[in-house]
Amino acid sequence: MSVTSRYREAWAAFWRAAPDEPGAVIWDAEAALTVGPQLALLEPHLVAAGLPLVDLGCGNGTQARFLADRFPRVLGVDLSAAALAHARLADPAGQVDFRQLDAVERGEAEQLHAELGDANVYMRGVLHQCEPDDRQPLLDGVATLIGERGRAFLVELSEAARAVLLDLTRRPEGAPPKLVPVFAHGLAPAEVTDEAVPAYVAGAGLDILASGELPLLTTEFSADGTRIALPSKWLVVGRPS
């Protein structure tokens, strides 16, 4: 099974049109504000020293570059070749190994696991952007990558984020400029219910080791200068002990 051609092309078009500048994409907030605090939630649950880390759905690589300073090997993988072009441009020192991967395709996840062995996985805001039929295979791919010893940190917009996003599109001054391309390219955020995410995790044979809520910070600001944040939930998952 692979992702649909519509979904693949939507992401390709989005990233081809995206500027190269840091923060030009609405979710491309500084790593110190995003993966930095999240990493502190993951670290107590890591059980095997030295495992590589896979940033699944790495986009332009902002979070992967931060993680490369904290793990012995980091791979940034994404469905979109255009996203990876941005990522490589922003990483001239080659800190991160960026590769194209369709994580929904079982064989691709299995091949990467055969190369790396067990790995830790960081996945931020990917599940809620998937087509419905691709969501369980995506979590199955995560389970394949972490194997027996790895852990995955998953961050997804909560149901409450949908109302926030709709309110933003209805502002008198119009939707925030960085939100417009998301909808223009047919990408529909906050489409997964809160109860569905644990069900996908269980369906992949994984346990939830920790969970909580954090705001997902964006690179857009309201008229009063407040950074726009979206409600999100996080999970640390791994094999049953």
Side-chain angles (χ1 to χ4, degrees), residues 55-198:
D55 181 358
L56 201 166
C58 67
N60 62 357
T62 297
Q63 317 306 319
R65 293 192 302 276
F66 180 93
L67 291 164
D69 290 331
R70 290 152 180 85
F71 289 86
R73 183 182 181 188
V74 171
L75 280 77
V77 301
D78 201 280
L79 177 67
S80 169
L84 296 172
H86 284 282
R88 293 186 182 108
L89 184 66
D91 185 30
Q95 284 184 287
V96 180
D97 179 5
F98 289 109
R99 303 188 193 181
Q100 193 168 14
L101 180 80
D102 180 354
V104 171
E105 178 58 52
R106 180 176 177 178
E108 292 193 29
E110 289 176 342
Q111 183 176 354
L112 186 56
H113 181 263
E115 174 190 341
L116 298 177
D118 291 354
N120 297 309
V121 171
Y122 175 75
M123 189 173 81
R124 174 175 173 254
V126 177
L127 184 66
H128 74 265
Q129 291 282 12
C130 288
E131 301 283 2
D133 289 346
D134 292 334
R135 292 168 188 161
Q136 187 62 61
L138 176 63
L139 262 296
D140 294 344
V142 170
T144 296
L145 292 173
I146 68 175
E148 296 300 322
R149 300 178 299 152
R151 297 287 185 261
F153 190 87
L154 314 177
V155 186
E156 293 297 332
L157 295 182
S158 66
E159 284 182 66
R162 183 171 179 80
V164 177
L165 288 165
L166 288 174
D167 286 345
L168 289 172
T169 66
R170 295 166 178 163
R171 299 188 311 178
E173 66 271 30
K178 294 176 189 176
L179 183 59
V180 173
V182 176
F183 290 104
H185 286 95
L187 306 173
E191 289 293 316
V192 181
T193 63
D194 291 345
E195 63 269 17
V197 178

Side-chain angles (χ1 to χ4, degrees), residues 19-67:
D20 289 327
E21 294 78 21
V25 173
I26 191 168
W27 56 77
D28 190 31
E30 304 95 307
L33 301 176
T34 52
V35 69
Q38 294 162 359
L39 187 57
L41 299 169
L42 169 63
E43 285 175 332
H45 301 281
L46 299 178
V47 295
L51 294 186
L53 183 134
V54 177
D55 181 358
L56 201 166
C58 67
N60 62 357
T62 297
Q63 317 306 319
R65 293 192 302 276
F66 180 93
L67 291 164

